[in-house]
Amino acid sequence: MSLDVDGFRAQFPSLASGIAHFDGPGGTQTPLAVAEAIARTLTAPLSNRGSSVRSERNADDAVTAFREAVADLLAADPRGVVYGRSATQLTYDLSRTLADSWAEGDEIVVSELDHDANVRPWVQAAEARGATVRWLRLDPATAELDLTRLDEIVNERTRLVAVTAASNLLGTIPPVARIAARAHAVGALVHVDGVHYAAHASVDVTALGADFFVCSPYKFFGPHCAVLVADPALLETLHPDKLVPSSDRVPERFELGTLPYETLAGVTAAVEVIADLAPATGEPGITRRERLVAAHELIDRHETALRERIETRLAELGLQVHSRAARRTPTLYVTLGDRVAAAASSFLAERDILAPSGSFYAWETFRALRLPVEAGMRIGVAAYTSDDDVDRLLEGLAEFLTR
Ligand SMILES: Cc1ncc(COP(=O)(O)O)c(C=O)c1O
């Protein structure tokens, strides 16, 4: 069984533009079903949440359906699903709440593999409380986190470990469960950035050992927003700043202001779109969670095949692929010897092939790799990437190199 790529692409009106999108790690295109769910929610009767009139119930139903969909996607408890505007916002908010109980002598651990959204909020919160920041270093030779000193870096003083489930620059998938096991052995909490990972793999937050897990639906065909999931019992122990009259229940306590019901409906629709890729969709008794897991197996096979094709050709062209971890997503970071990557990206862009060059906010990763922040180009494969897209990319790159 393989992914029906043509059928999947037909769900995305924007792909008719002819642009070959290799910018999935920055954000994916949107299927019609997601846009329609947003429009349907906005044009149906809609009020603030409540139970008296249909417009109130519609708002309430959108919230309930969103929490259930995200819970199925991440194998989480719907009562612990928190909506946020972005992963950056959710992480900043949580960092301030958790840091309330930190003091001098406490330590927090961040990694060089992370997007700055899972570094700076923790570093700044630690600085504000006088806590010490310790680093999990990246080994540039392997593109993996160096865990040889894990037991020393994560120790009895550690309060929190923040680590990515996958690097949005290199694609590296670090052994989060192993890191989390060490953190839990010393009583520390684990915050996992799943923004890049959740677009490519089926997530089980418990198996990962994530006390907190954030991801952003706009990276997997949904609208521009983010979610944080945690055990509701853990959320009950935390008290973020909030307005006096607003709900003190979990997870509402963590959600500031009126929820964007239409966006929540878009997230639910995006989860359905992924689940519908499962071969067994429609079979009696199969759960949405089971369909999501099956869908991700197909997506992974498709994306990995394209990634391997690209890698083989990049090596033939003599380009340096910095993505080389044993376990990784289909995201490749490539430098072009003495050729300027931004020029290659522009050359491709003129041909409607989008493989951008930039920092991608992977600030510490560039430092660890000892590369200037815009040294290379990022090629991200998504579930809708076609063989034709890959042909165009590779031909375009070969042509650029002959000039
Ligand atoms: C790995 C990773 N973490 C965090 C973020 C930030 O996500 P958001 O835009 O939802 O704040 C991104 C965005 O590119 C990302 O790739």
Side-chain angles (χ1 to χ4, degrees):
M1 198 68 204
S2 58
L3 187 68
D4 171 12
V5 182
D6 289 341
F8 188 47
R9 289 176 66 86
Q11 297 186 40
F12 294 76
S14 70
L15 292 181
S17 72
I19 299 170
H21 282 279
F22 290 95
D23 61 335
T28 44
Q29 300 303 296
T30 310
L32 188 60
V34 170
E36 284 180 345
I38 293 170
R40 210 169 36 245
T41 306
L42 279 173
T43 50
L46 192 64
S47 304
N48 278 341
R49 294 175 72 179
S51 57
S52 67
V53 172
R54 184 147 68 96
S55 56
E56 290 188 341
R57 289 194 296 275
N58 282 347
D60 211 49
D61 290 349
V63 178
T64 305
F66 155 78
R67 298 208 204 281
E68 284 170 358
V70 172
D72 281 353
L73 184 73
L74 305 176
D77 185 329
R79 295 167 304 164
V81 174
V82 177
Y83 162 83
R85 192 179 60 73
S86 65
T88 305
Q89 176 247 307
L90 284 166
T91 307
Y92 256 118
D93 284 355
L94 184 69
S95 70
R96 293 181 184 122
T97 303
L98 289 180
D100 275 349
S101 69
W102 299 348
E104 231 169 278
D106 287 338
E107 297 185 0
I108 63 124
V109 177
V110 291
S111 102
E112 288 182 337
L113 199 55
D114 272 80
H115 184 286
D116 214 48
N118 200 31
V119 175
R120 217 56 54 195
W122 304 113
V123 168
Q124 290 166 356
E127 279 167 0
R129 308 296 305 181
T132 301
V133 178
R134 306 205 53 176
W135 289 85
L136 291 173
R137 301 289 176 195
L138 174 67
D139 178 354
T142 60
E144 312 256 13
L145 281 181
D146 176 0
L147 298 179
T148 46
R149 291 172 49 235
L150 179 64
D151 287 1
E152 179 202 327
I153 294 166
V154 180
N155 60 54
E156 280 65 25
R157 290 182 297 280
T158 308
R159 301 293 308 276
L160 177 108
V161 178
V163 67
T164 190
S167 156
N168 67 315
L169 188 76
L170 297 168
T172 302
I173 299 176
V176 170
R178 180 180 156 203
I179 297 166
R182 172 62 187 162
H184 292 152
V186 295
L189 290 167
V190 178
H191 184 273
V192 176
D193 175 348
V195 175
H196 184 60
Y197 184 73
H200 300 288
S202 106
V203 176
D204 180 330
V205 286
T206 311
L208 278 177
D211 296 300
F212 304 100
F213 183 95
V214 288
C215 65
S216 307
Y218 74 93
K219 310 282 193 188
F220 48 87
F221 322 122
H224 291 87
C225 66
V227 296
L228 175 143
V229 301
D231 183 338
L234 173 60
L235 294 180
E236 289 289 355
T237 65
L238 302 175
H239 296 276
D241 286 340
K242 60 175 275 303
L243 303 183
V244 173
S246 69
S247 172
D248 197 32
R249 282 184 322 188
V250 164
E252 281 83 359
R253 188 192 288 175
F254 293 83
E255 297 171 324
L256 304 180
T258 307
L259 287 171
Y261 308 115
E262 63 279 12
T263 302
L264 305 189
V267 175
T268 305
V271 171
E272 287 291 349
V273 163
I274 299 170
D276 282 348
L277 292 174
T281 290
E283 273 182 21
I286 188 162
T287 65
R288 182 167 56 189
R289 171 69 191 167
E290 287 164 343
R291 288 162 57 220
L292 285 162
V293 172
H296 269 294
E297 277 166 22
L298 291 191
I299 291 172
D300 181 55
R301 229 174 294 148
H302 168 65
E303 292 180 341
T304 303
L306 291 184
R307 169 183 47 98
E308 286 172 354
R309 233 191 99 199
I310 297 170
E311 275 177 324
T312 305
R313 184 66 183 133
L314 293 179
E316 287 169 5
L317 291 172
L319 305 185
Q320 297 78 49
V321 179
H322 298 266
S323 307
R324 53 177 81 104
R327 284 190 70 219
R328 55 201 161 89
T329 66
T331 297
L332 299 170
Y333 192 68
V334 187
T335 50
L336 298 86
D338 55 2
R339 307 298 297 266
V340 177
S345 290
S346 303
F347 182 84
L348 293 173
E350 283 162 17
R351 287 150 184 78
D352 266 352
I353 303 160
L354 189 49
S357 141
S359 85
F360 310 113
Y361 287 21
W363 204 248
E364 301 294 342
T365 309
F366 278 102
R367 282 163 47 132
L369 293 172
R370 293 179 205 95
L371 284 175
V373 282
E374 300 203 350
M377 122 182 344
R378 183 175 68 178
I379 299 170
V381 170
Y384 52 59
T385 306
S386 66
D387 272 307
D388 181 56
D389 288 339
V390 171
D391 290 344
R392 285 171 59 198
L393 170 80
L394 296 175
E395 282 159 21
L397 267 175
E399 194 187 335
F400 173 78
L401 293 169
T402 60
R403 287 158 59 95

